[in-house]
Amino acid sequence: MLPSLRPRDWVTIRLTDPERVRLGDIVAFRQGDRVVVHRCVGWKMVGGERWFCEKGEGQATWRWIPENRLAGRMETLDRDGQTRDMRKWPWSPLNRMIGFAWALSIKAIERRAHNGRDEAFHDKEPQTGPTGPGARLAVKALNRTGRFVLSLADRLADLGQHGHTSSRSFTRLSPEERLLVLTSRLVLSPDETGTMRSLLSQPLDWSLLQDRSETLCIRPILFLHLSGEEFRSFVPSHVMAGLEQDYRTQSMKNLRLFGQLSKILKAFEEVEIPVVPLKGALLAGALYKDIGLRPMSDVDLLCRETDHDRARERILALGFAKKVTFVSPLHEQLWGARHGSHPPALYHPGKGKIEIHLNIFPKVPHKPEDMKSVWAGTVPWTLDGRSCRSLSVEDQLLHLTLHLEQHRVSGTATLVWFCDIHEFIGKHGPDIRWEGFIERVESLGVSTQVGNILGLLKEHWKTPLPEWIPGRLGGVWDERVLAATIRRQEDTAALAKRLRSNYLGRLLQIREIEGWRRQLSYLIRFFIPTTEYLRQAYDLGEDRSVWPFYLHHPLLKMGRLAKRLPLLLHAPSRSGAKAGDGRG
């Protein structure tokens, strides 16, 4: 099937009704114990049964097969990490054109072979071809023309994709990325130390390494490893100085966050509100050698839904405030309906952000009994001298894996989250009741999601998981998946898709609003928000007049939209969906 299909291509075959197969479609059919993928170049009805004519791109012959041998139709092609949707431009019209040209040619050749009669074949699966020199010459010319057109389209698609996205393939990791994956753990084994020395001995793009380490939130841990006596001589001095400065900055930021966390835990303790620190708030002190190694941008806390209002009041009393991030109360109401388990964050100028969570299952359907079971499994914990609670090791692992998989799918995963889970399992693996963990995962219907993360860790971090876990859960964890996971944040096409999804999601929310007046108000408020929003967005205070900003704000919005228009019109990509800062 060259050039349409090449060795090592991955294709998606979807079951389809025979009536939905069109001329030019690339179809799969069963041939003995094999599945063959060829192009459909014709069909006819024989005795009430539909027969398809299939042909390889470079073959001079074709074959008729009955509809009961049809296995499905190819929908997508994945080549070197780039996905091509055969249902869209330019592949769909190109396939139609090639299929139509071959259908006419085959019909003419077969009619000529039967002396002008459009007879049905008599054998069950005849393989036929041109019978005369003229027909053979025509088939040869048509083959060459089709292959030239497909090769040209293939080259143009490659240029278009690499012109807008990273020129590196998603198939394998670059040396810089291998180094980042290798350093996203606290302790290196002797084999890993040798691998790291080998990587550092190669010519590396240190500028790329620094950029990617920041995007993937791994700079403090990278500094931990590179600052050792064994590796320091390989690192340019300016790179080491930048890593050290970032480590010190992150340490100071984390100290401020933990200072606020200590005050919050004390306030909760006074009124007996049970609370569970999540993610970095717990792991920075429990797993890492010092809190500066674990990048954090906020503090995540879990509380019961019945305690949410009291917890919020205690945090507000400490000087935190709700930031006006919604252009109207109606927009905030719609957001709350969609994110009920994750209320809006609370902010303190210069001291960070606090997020209150009401469950540990991000975007996973669950029952109230599931959270009751989670709270029943929590254990007393002490953090910086303050009393709180901690999730059971099984629920902690489940929360970390679901959180990471959610960001992996959306294209905003970071290596520090892989490091969290790797170190957590390394420390608590013997205490984890794996059968109970698997039962909870299967009851929630998230086996594949959890399997994706644990499989990647087992394969690329050598995390000490029981051997049977990845096979039981399933998932995909080869190097291509890891490469795509850590590159999607820099993929322009993925960013374009996230923006389109964001804009479209906002517009589609209008369906949840009753009454055309409220729907119109919803749309207008995007450009003419409330006075409270304008005062906070532009830091106006109470003295300055807000009226000029009713003109300034819509002009600013339209200007931003105009700047993003080329990105929004970017060719669709299958990677990523939701933006995020990548820290938790």
Side-chain angles (χ1 to χ4, degrees):
M1 277 293 289
L2 285 170
S4 293
L5 298 178
R6 301 176 185 171
R8 302 187 68 82
D9 282 351
W10 291 69
V11 298
T12 301
I13 303 294
R14 185 178 295 277
L15 295 175
T16 187
D17 295 330
E19 294 80 8
R20 298 179 65 87
V21 175
R22 301 168 65 188
L23 283 179
D25 282 345
I26 299 177
V27 297
F29 62 93
R30 291 176 291 275
Q31 183 172 299
D33 57 353
R34 297 187 304 152
V35 174
V36 178
V37 179
H38 277 171
R39 187 181 299 279
C40 172
V41 291
W43 65 272
K44 61 175 67 174
M45 300 296 295
V46 179
E49 184 181 20
R50 188 182 298 264
W51 285 66
F52 294 102
C53 184
E54 57 85 6
K55 179 185 178 302
E57 302 289 27
Q59 296 180 353
T61 59
W62 50 88
R63 183 188 300 270
W64 290 90
I65 59 170
E67 62 180 25
N68 59 15
R69 296 272 301 279
L70 181 69
R73 177 175 59 187
M74 188 178 87
E75 290 196 347
T76 62
L77 164 68
D78 190 32
R79 176 175 297 161
D80 294 335
Q82 301 290 350
T83 301
R84 297 164 189 183
D85 193 333
M86 294 295 137
R87 299 164 296 179
K88 296 182 179 179
W89 172 271
W91 308 109
S92 178
L94 191 59
N95 286 337
R96 297 290 88 72
M97 179 183 70
I98 293 174
F100 186 71
W102 272 113
L104 289 178
S105 302
I106 290 173
K107 186 178 182 66
I109 291 172
E110 290 190 341
R111 285 177 64 87
R112 184 180 180 88
H114 292 96
N115 298 320
R117 301 189 307 275
D118 189 13
E119 292 184 352
F121 40 83
H122 300 286
D123 300 323
K124 286 193 174 181
E125 289 184 47
Q127 183 166 332
T128 59
T131 53
R136 285 194 290 271
L137 185 63
V139 167
K140 188 175 183 179
L142 197 55
N143 263 334
R144 288 185 174 181
T145 302
R147 295 182 69 173
F148 172 77
V149 171
L150 288 169
S151 297
L152 181 62
D154 194 57
R155 291 292 300 275
L156 291 175
D158 283 341
L159 290 174
Q161 287 170 331
H162 294 312
H164 294 288
T165 64
S166 171
S167 60
R168 291 167 293 145
S169 161
F170 280 171
T171 304
R172 297 188 63 82
L173 295 171
S174 68
E176 293 82 8
E177 290 163 338
R178 289 184 185 278
L179 183 63
L180 292 176
V181 170
L182 192 60
T183 56
S184 57
R185 65 204 78 196
L186 296 180
V187 179
L188 298 176
S189 68
D191 290 342
E192 291 165 346
T193 300
T195 302
M196 185 167 172
R197 190 184 302 109
S198 175
L199 288 170
L200 289 170
S201 301
Q202 303 177 25
L204 295 174
D205 186 339
W206 288 100
S207 177
L208 173 66
L209 186 70
Q210 292 185 89
D211 291 342
R212 300 299 290 133
S213 65
E214 182 173 4
T215 305
L216 297 169
C217 304
I218 208 70
R219 285 177 73 83
I221 307 178
L222 181 63
F223 170 70
L224 168 71
H225 292 293
L226 295 184
S227 61
E229 292 184 4
E230 189 171 3
F231 304 124
R232 195 178 186 95
S233 59
F234 292 100
V235 186
S237 57
H238 70 280
V239 174
M240 185 62 71
L243 291 173
E244 183 174 3
Q245 179 60 43
D246 287 348
Y247 162 71
R248 296 184 184 278
T249 301
Q250 186 66 58
S251 297
M252 294 301 296
K253 183 176 183 179
N254 285 4
L255 283 173
R256 288 194 298 270
L257 286 171
F258 272 88
Q260 295 302 310
L261 175 59
S262 180
K263 294 179 181 178
I264 292 171
L265 293 181
K266 180 182 178 181
F268 284 8
E269 191 177 359
E270 291 173 351
V271 294
E272 299 181 348
I273 298 177
V275 62
V276 176
L278 298 175
K279 295 184 288 188
L282 178 72
L283 302 179
L287 293 180
Y288 291 77
K289 295 177 180 178
D290 78 64
I291 61 173
L293 294 176
R294 186 12 172 112
M296 293 173 57
S297 61
D298 57 18
V299 172
D300 296 275
L301 301 173
L302 174 71
C303 74
R304 288 190 174 97
E305 192 167 355
T306 54
D307 293 326
H308 172 250
D309 291 339
R310 287 198 303 147
R312 181 183 175 85
E313 289 174 3
R314 298 299 292 180
I315 297 176
L316 292 174
L318 294 174
F320 285 81
K322 172 189 167 185
K323 195 172 183 179
V324 182
T325 56
F326 301 98
V327 294
S328 78
L330 177 58
H331 290 76
E332 181 175 5
Q333 178 184 346
L334 290 171
W335 187 92
R338 285 175 172 262
H339 303 83
S341 63
H342 195 333
L346 301 174
Y347 298 81
H348 193 299
K351 295 184 179 179
K353 179 175 70 170
I354 306 295
E355 292 190 352
I356 299 177
H357 299 257
L358 304 181
N359 70 63
I360 64 167
F361 311 115
K363 297 187 176 180
V364 174
H366 60 279
K367 302 175 183 178
E369 292 76 16
D370 292 319
M371 277 310 300
K372 289 181 181 178
S373 174
V374 168
W375 277 103
T378 59
V379 296
W381 191 263
T382 301
L383 187 61
D384 197 21
R386 302 296 178 187
S387 298
C388 58
R389 301 192 72 80
S390 173
L391 296 174
S392 68
V393 288
E394 294 82 15
D395 288 336
Q396 190 80 260
L397 178 59
L398 178 59
H399 174 61
L400 293 173
T401 52
L402 289 177
H403 170 259
L404 175 50
E405 175 65 5
Q406 175 192 347
H407 283 275
R408 190 193 71 82
V409 171
S410 70
T412 56
T414 67
L415 284 178
V416 73
W417 292 331
F418 283 100
C419 183
D420 286 344
I421 303 175
H422 173 73
E423 298 299 331
F424 184 85
I425 294 176
K427 181 176 181 178
H428 298 288
D431 303 323
I432 297 174
R433 296 181 299 106
W434 288 106
E435 284 293 348
F437 173 76
I438 295 298
E439 288 178 8
R440 171 66 66 87
V441 168
E442 292 176 342
S443 68
L444 290 170
V446 292
S447 297
T448 302
Q449 293 92 315
V450 174
N452 287 335
I453 300 302
L454 296 185
L456 286 171
L457 286 163
K458 180 72 173 177
E459 181 72 18
H460 304 285
W461 274 260
K462 308 305 178 187
T463 303
L465 284 162
E467 294 294 335
W468 57 273
I469 292 289
R472 170 83 172 267
L473 294 174
V476 182
W477 48 79
D478 59 21
E479 186 173 320
R480 184 183 60 158
V481 175
L482 180 60
T485 298
I486 65 179
R487 289 179 191 164
R488 281 176 174 170
Q489 291 199 45
E490 67 176 6
D491 189 346
T492 306
L495 177 59
K497 185 173 181 179
R498 289 198 291 270
L499 284 175
R500 284 193 294 268
S501 177
N502 186 24
Y503 282 125
L504 183 61
R506 291 183 183 183
L507 288 175
L508 291 180
Q509 275 191 316
I510 200 171
R511 298 178 300 180
E512 302 172 21
I513 305 172
E514 294 182 0
W516 70 269
R517 295 179 188 274
R518 298 184 76 221
Q519 291 177 343
L520 182 61
S521 173
Y522 172 81
L523 295 175
I524 291 175
R525 283 300 186 185
F526 279 118
F527 294 95
I528 308 177
T530 61
T531 301
E532 183 185 13
Y533 175 86
L534 290 175
R535 288 195 181 280
Q536 183 158 328
Y538 296 100
D539 196 20
L540 300 180
E542 296 297 329
D543 300 331
R544 293 184 61 184
S545 174
V546 75
W547 289 108
F549 290 88
Y550 278 109
L551 178 62
H552 171 78
H553 183 77
L555 292 176
L556 181 66
K557 284 287 187 181
M558 287 186 286
R560 287 178 180 173
L561 182 60
K563 286 183 179 180
R564 291 176 174 178
L565 195 58
L567 188 59
L568 289 169
L569 296 177
H570 190 282
S573 168
R574 291 174 66 88
S575 59
K578 180 181 177 183
D581 69 352
R583 304 187 184 193

